[in-house]
Amino acid sequence: RLLRPRMIVAIPHEASDMERRAIRDSCESAGAREVHLVPKPLAAGHGAGLSTGSHAGHLVVDLGAGSTALSLVAMGRVVASRVLEEGGRFIDASITRWMQREHALLIGRSTAESVKHTVGSQFARRTPSHRSSRAMPSHRGSSCGHGHP
C-alpha cells in the first residue's frame, strides 16, 4: 500500500485563484492527501536560507533566460513584486560587449554565461569580512586585434 504524500508546490506569485485551484486539483488527483501552495519567491528565499518570516525585507531575484523577477519578501509573504524583460541572455550579451570594449577580447555565449555564473556565485558566497575582495575569475577568448587566444 502506498502512502498518500503531503505536497508543497512552488507556484508563481501572481497565480490566479483558478490556476491555484487547478494546481491543487492536479496534486490531489495524483494522490496527495495535503497540498500546500507556496509562492516561488518565498520558496526561493527559504531555500537560500533567508528568514522570510522576519520583519526585515529580503530582495529575492529570479534570473531567468528571458526575464528577471524581483520580489520583496517580509513577514512571511511577498510584499512587492516586479518582472523585468531583461534576463540571463541580456546579461550574457552585455558581458560579451564589455569584454570586447574593455579588454579587446572576443568571447562566445557559453564563456559569457560561465563568467556570469562564476561572478554571481562568488558574490553570493562572500561573507561580510570577504566583501572587499576583488579577485575576479580568469576566462579565455580571442584577441580582437590579431584573433589569437
Side-chain angles (χ1 to χ4, degrees):
R1 170 180 119 102
L2 294 175
L3 297 176
R4 293 182 56 195
R6 286 182 226 142
M7 290 184 167
I8 299 173
V9 181
I11 60 169
H13 165 65
E14 63 281 349
S16 68
D17 288 338
M18 184 186 304
E19 291 167 327
R20 289 171 187 265
R21 263 194 311 278
I23 293 168
R24 184 179 300 280
D25 290 348
S26 294
C27 292
E28 288 170 352
S29 295
R33 70 180 144 134
E34 281 181 53
V35 179
H36 299 277
L37 304 179
V38 179
K40 281 184 180 183
L42 279 179
H46 184 72
L50 302 175
S51 69
T52 56
S54 73
H55 290 285
H58 298 284
L59 181 64
V60 176
V61 179
D62 180 4
L63 181 62
S67 65
T68 301
L70 305 164
S71 301
L72 182 60
V73 175
M75 298 178 285
R77 64 187 183 94
V78 178
V79 178
S81 183
R82 183 171 181 191
V83 176
L84 305 176
E85 293 189 24
E86 291 84 16
R89 280 183 250 140
F90 175 80
I91 292 172
D92 295 344
S94 297
I95 290 169
T96 301
R97 285 190 306 273
W98 183 82
M99 292 292 273
Q100 184 174 2
R101 184 181 67 244
E102 296 295 321
H103 299 284
L105 191 63
L106 294 174
I107 62 171
R109 190 176 63 142
S110 61
T111 302
E113 187 170 359
S114 174
V115 169
K116 175 181 69 181
H117 288 206
T118 303
V119 171
S121 298
Q122 182 179 36
F123 287 109
R125 287 192 200 118
R126 284 189 186 168
T127 60
S129 62
H130 294 97
R131 293 215 191 274
S132 62
S133 171
R134 293 280 185 201
M136 295 301 287
S138 173
H139 292 282
R140 298 179 62 128
S142 298
S143 169
C144 292
H146 50 75
H148 299 292

